[in-house]
Amino acid sequence: AQSVSQHNHHVILSEAASLELGCNYSYGGTVNLFWYVQYPGQHLQLLLKYFSGDPLVKGIKGFEAEFIKSKFSFNLRKPSVQWSDTAEYFCAVNAHSNYQLIWGAGTKLIIKP
Amino acid sequence: DAGVIQSPRHEVTEMGQEVTLRCKLISGHNSLFWYRQTMMRGLELLIYFNNNVPIDDSGMPEDRFSAKMPNASFSTLKIQPSEPRDSAVYFCASSLAGGRETQYFGPGTRLLVL
């Protein structure tokens, strides 16, 4: 069965620190990859997505993610975080042959001011 | 362009009562997903509709839950009778292309069953 693994459930950083959140998936075929963000008390919003092409994807608010097919990974990065980045981040994968998004468990990111 | 619209945003009810949650899709989208989010279980897919037809309802917890799409732009999720363990945030999301495209989420309904 397909699965998505987010390595860290909680991450605490200081402002201006660099961020990398891990995401690995288990599926051998062609995939669409997503990162969603959920700010406290709000709904999920799309941060960035990869369907095809350049494996380095840039999203909103300075976030980027790199798809490494050989490692089945789609890690999220930001060079310098801000207090307003405090949120929960979800990685999701969708096989081209399937409608269903497989969700990771989420990573709660806390940025200390 | 309006996003996904959900109502009510908050619902507090007593055990045994019927609860109806509503969702309006983004215009032109043909896929609708209902999710439930709790601290314990995270984000769970309850049911998926494509072109008004339920395709996968394997995530619906039990017979107390039912969902409908009376037309292409609107859906309801009903819980009857409600129980305290149904307390959660319920999101609906819509997308194009049978769900293989980006899912756009509504603001959610925060349900508390006493």
Side-chain angles (χ1 to χ4, degrees):
Chain A
Q2 297 172 41
S3 65
V4 176
S5 173
Q6 292 184 240
H7 312 301
N8 306 101
H9 287 193
H10 293 88
V11 172
I12 301 174
L13 294 172
S14 298
E15 275 193 304
S18 65
L19 170 72
E20 181 160 2
L21 302 182
C23 172
N24 285 88
Y25 64 94
S26 63
Y27 180 71
T30 306
V31 293
N32 297 329
L33 299 154
F34 304 83
W35 276 98
Y36 282 82
V37 60
Q38 187 175 27
Y39 296 103
Q42 296 191 28
H43 63 286
L44 281 88
Q45 303 170 47
L46 181 69
L47 203 53
L48 50 79
K49 63 185 179 184
Y50 172 82
F51 281 12
S52 64
D54 188 345
L56 185 61
V57 180
K58 293 195 184 301
I60 60 171
K61 304 188 180 187
F63 286 90
E64 64 178 32
E66 185 175 12
F67 171 47
I68 303 179
K69 191 174 180 180
S70 60
K71 294 185 178 180
F72 299 91
S73 71
F74 190 55
N75 291 356
L76 182 70
R77 300 195 292 248
K78 186 170 183 178
S80 176
V81 294
Q82 301 172 308
W83 177 78
S84 58
D85 293 325
T86 294
E88 189 160 13
Y89 293 80
F90 293 89
C91 180
V93 176
N94 160 253
H96 274 202
S97 59
N98 196 347
Y99 60 86
Q100 193 167 351
L101 271 183
I102 307 300
W103 293 87
T107 298
K108 284 187 169 65
L109 175 65
I110 297 172
I111 306 300
K112 297 184 294 183
Chain B
D1 185 20
V4 175
I5 299 171
Q6 289 188 247
S7 65
R9 295 291 305 275
H10 302 271
E11 178 82 29
V12 180
T13 190
E14 292 187 342
M15 184 174 66
Q17 296 297 306
E18 177 179 296
V19 174
T20 299
L21 311 180
R22 296 173 178 81
C23 174
K24 186 175 186 300
L25 284 69
I26 292 173
S27 177
H29 283 190
N30 63 352
S31 295
L32 182 280
F33 302 80
W34 279 104
Y35 289 93
R36 178 171 68 178
Q37 187 179 37
T38 61
M39 290 288 289
M40 292 297 295
R41 293 189 299 270
L43 198 63
E44 302 171 279
L45 176 65
L46 300 178
I47 188 168
Y48 158 60
F49 290 88
N50 189 41
N51 292 323
N52 303 7
V53 176
I55 304 299
D56 182 358
D57 65 356
S58 59
M60 295 286 262
E62 48 199 271
D63 291 346
R64 298 185 297 106
F65 285 69
S66 61
K68 293 182 181 178
M69 272 197 82
N71 58 56
S73 60
F74 182 74
S75 177
T76 60
L77 177 68
K78 189 174 291 187
I79 309 172
Q80 166 62 21
S82 57
E83 296 182 3
R85 61 192 166 121
D86 301 330
S87 298
V89 182
Y90 291 81
F91 291 103
C92 71
S94 74
S95 78
L96 292 166
R100 284 183 283 277
E101 294 288 330
T102 303
Q103 292 184 21
Y104 294 88
F105 282 76
T109 295
R110 194 172 293 272
L111 174 64
L112 178 61
V113 183
L114 302 173

